Amino acid sequence: MVTTLAIDCGGGGIKASVLDEAGTMRARPLRVPTPYPLPPALFVRTLLDLGGRLPTADRLTVGVPGMIRHGVVVSTPHYVTRSGPRSRVDPDLLAEWSGWDARGALADAFGVPALVLNDAEVHGAGVVAGTGCELVLTLGTGLGSALFDGGVLAPHLELSHAPVRWGTTYDTYVGEPERRRLGDAFWSRRIRQVVDGLRPVFRWDRLYLGGGNSRLIRPEQLTRMGDDVVVVPNTAGIVGGVRAWELAAGRRDART
């Protein structure tokens, strides 16, 4: 039986568990606060410490906020800041994270094969049906996104950095600070407006809303979004750690 250590990295916390081949957790999930400032070396040590408190595994899946290409960090919005999300960017951290081979570094540190993807992509791997066009949006510190076509993971796009209104990005428009400022009722209405605006762009067959804040969407707003929009558990960010290997392989096969 192949076991997977799945680690879901967020702006406010890092969660992990060990899964069997069926995606069943073999240990209670553990969570630690995301430390700041966070250079890559401390990131690796934090994950090693967390993994050391769980049963050993045969491989590693890590979901990281930001744009990841072939296991290499193109950009990560939170981890380059001095004290956490939306604080000042540290130029030294920006230089350290940009172009960092996360997959190689983590594979070496853990001594097992590693897969490093955007955190919303891992989340989506745990919930997509594998048919049609499926979009995943994760609502937490900011906005994460992943797109699947027939179960094949599409190249990652940082939708969160696109402007949505008054020069404000999606990340800021629907992120945790705005939810706190607006309150759940007004924030839920804003989520519905975002969904309505994205519908003609993606023409999805199914939209999944995940992340820690998705459970706070008011039922009346969710109903108005339509039957093709569903809320999924935040645990998908860990559970998807197994299926992410299959979907990543599918993306490679689709290119050949």
Side-chain angles (χ1 to χ4, degrees):
M1 180 179 67
V2 176
T3 55
T4 304
L5 171 60
I7 305 179
D8 182 17
C9 304
I14 299 173
K15 305 183 290 294
S17 184
V18 172
L19 313 169
D20 63 19
E21 290 175 331
T24 303
M25 293 188 191
R26 310 302 294 180
R28 183 175 61 86
L30 300 179
R31 183 186 186 278
V32 296
T34 304
Y36 290 99
L38 185 61
L42 177 57
F43 178 75
V44 172
R45 290 199 303 272
T46 301
L47 269 57
L48 277 172
D49 290 344
L50 188 58
R53 295 160 54 190
L54 292 164
T56 57
D58 300 305
R59 62 187 185 183
L60 170 69
T61 304
V62 179
V64 180
M67 182 173 282
I68 313 296
R69 287 184 182 151
H70 311 295
V72 176
V73 178
V74 177
S75 65
T76 179
H78 308 313
Y79 298 164
V80 299
T81 61
R82 296 181 178 180
S83 56
R86 296 180 178 81
S87 63
R88 184 174 300 178
V89 171
D90 185 317
D92 293 332
L93 287 175
L94 181 62
E96 285 192 64
W97 277 98
S98 299
W100 180 56
D101 183 3
R103 179 172 58 188
L106 290 169
D108 289 343
F110 281 85
V112 297
L115 179 65
V116 180
L117 298 170
N118 171 269
D119 54 341
E121 293 178 339
V122 179
H123 196 106
V127 300
V128 295
T131 57
C133 179
E134 299 174 280
L135 178 65
V136 180
L137 298 178
T138 55
L139 305 168
T141 303
L143 176 72
S145 64
L147 184 64
F148 299 81
D149 181 22
V152 177
L153 179 59
H156 183 67
L157 301 176
E158 278 291 76
L159 176 64
S160 61
H161 291 173
V164 58
R165 195 175 185 185
W166 305 310
T168 302
T169 64
Y170 283 96
D171 210 43
T172 300
Y173 193 61
V174 298
E176 173 63 6
E178 278 295 274
R179 187 196 67 79
R180 291 182 178 179
R181 185 182 73 85
L182 294 170
D184 288 346
F186 284 101
W187 176 81
S188 296
R189 186 170 66 182
R190 180 171 287 188
I191 296 299
R192 177 178 58 80
Q193 292 169 343
V194 166
V195 168
D196 290 345
L198 292 177
R199 184 181 294 277
V201 176
F202 289 95
R203 297 287 183 175
W204 57 71
D205 294 299
R206 183 63 59 90
L207 167 63
Y208 303 92
L209 299 177
N213 284 347
S214 61
R215 59 185 176 81
L216 302 176
I217 300 174
R218 292 293 180 88
E220 64 273 15
Q221 298 298 338
L222 185 61
T223 299
R224 294 182 65 183
M225 293 181 204
D227 294 337
D228 58 348
V229 181
V230 294
V231 171
V232 294
N234 194 34
T235 52
I238 294 178
V239 174
V242 173
R243 196 170 176 220
W245 286 80
E246 302 172 20
L247 297 183
R251 178 163 64 181
R252 290 194 297 270
D253 292 343
R255 293 200 301 265
T256 60

